[in-house]
Amino acid sequence: MTDGPFRNAELSSRWKQYGKDLVSDATSLEERTAQACHSMIGTDDLPAISTILADIKAHAQRPQMDLDAISSMEALFESHPKSPLTDTLQKHLIANLRDQMPLGTALDQALPSTVADWIGITKNRLDEECIRARDLGDMNENDYRKGIERNRETFANINSDALCDALTTGDKRAFKQAQQKKTGVDEGPDE
């Protein structure tokens, strides 16, 4: 199993590495979490979501009153490329605006909700990949149980505020440093 349990999956190389990490006893929870975050940031259209977030913040800081914030935000989203992540953000933001929240508050609440949905959807997708790998014979029953449990632990360990920050800043390398494996003599596993 040198290619990992997701070798036959239609996933990026980052997610295939995450699959290897799921079944490896040499990979810590923190390393798996960093790899998952790094993979999430690398697979979505980060520049598009970052641009939309910046445009919404700029719109919220304009001194004039927006008579119809919902229409303004719908037009803003229409002027940008679509992705599942931008659609989720739009859904949460518009729902908050319909609850009569000011735009800044609506965004402050929509972004963490969007990231929570994104984490859940991604976790479920990787659970499905584990099931598929088991069914294809790329993952034995023991590794499957280990993979499902470690996937749950990993996604429960994700710092959603850090993901929000990475989306807001557009920093594709936000989790790169934490994701790199410890290799020095004095850098053994965390206890």
Side-chain angles (χ1 to χ4, degrees):
M1 196 159 67
T2 58
D3 293 337
F6 294 163
R7 65 180 166 268
N8 291 315
E10 292 184 27
L11 297 171
S12 69
S13 60
R14 290 178 182 194
W15 283 119
K16 288 182 180 186
Q17 179 59 49
Y18 175 76
K20 289 179 192 178
D21 292 346
L22 274 180
V23 297
S24 171
D25 292 333
T27 305
S28 71
L29 173 60
E30 290 73 23
E31 290 169 326
R32 283 192 307 275
T33 303
Q35 180 64 39
C37 291
H38 183 65
S39 299
M40 288 176 74
I41 291 296
T43 57
D44 278 287
D45 191 84
L46 188 61
I49 192 80
S50 298
T51 302
I52 287 174
L53 289 169
D55 289 353
I56 294 169
K57 285 183 179 188
H59 189 85
Q61 292 176 351
R62 285 199 299 230
Q64 74 269 19
M65 286 292 292
D66 197 353
L67 296 177
D68 188 6
I70 293 172
S71 294
S72 297
M73 289 302 102
E74 287 174 341
L76 186 143
F77 277 95
E78 288 299 319
S79 69
H80 289 83
K82 293 278 185 197
S83 75
L85 194 56
T86 60
D87 287 345
T88 303
L89 176 63
Q90 181 178 6
K91 175 186 77 171
H92 285 291
L93 182 65
I94 298 300
N96 290 346
L97 291 172
R98 286 196 174 115
D99 286 342
Q100 305 300 313
M101 290 182 196
L103 182 56
T105 305
L107 179 60
D108 289 345
Q109 292 184 15
L111 185 56
S113 297
T114 300
V115 167
D117 285 356
W118 185 30
I119 290 169
I121 290 166
T122 305
K123 180 218 169 277
N124 290 341
R125 168 81 198 280
L126 290 160
D127 282 346
E128 291 169 5
E129 291 299 335
C130 286
I131 293 167
R132 187 174 293 116
R134 181 200 58 196
D135 292 349
L136 289 172
D138 293 341
M139 189 183 266
N140 63 39
E141 191 64 34
N142 185 46
D143 282 347
Y144 165 75
R145 284 193 301 276
K146 190 187 310 181
I148 291 290
E149 178 62 22
R150 287 179 177 173
N151 193 51
R152 184 195 59 74
E153 291 170 352
T154 299
F155 280 86
N157 194 47
I158 289 177
N159 178 343
S160 59
D161 290 340
L163 272 178
C164 288
D165 290 344
L167 290 178
T168 302
T169 62
D171 185 5
K172 281 190 173 192
R173 302 183 58 79
F175 301 97
K176 184 70 174 162
Q177 177 113 12
Q179 177 256 343
Q180 294 181 355
K181 299 213 186 264
K182 296 178 180 180
T183 56
V185 175
D186 296 328
E187 295 182 3
D190 297 330
E191 295 187 38

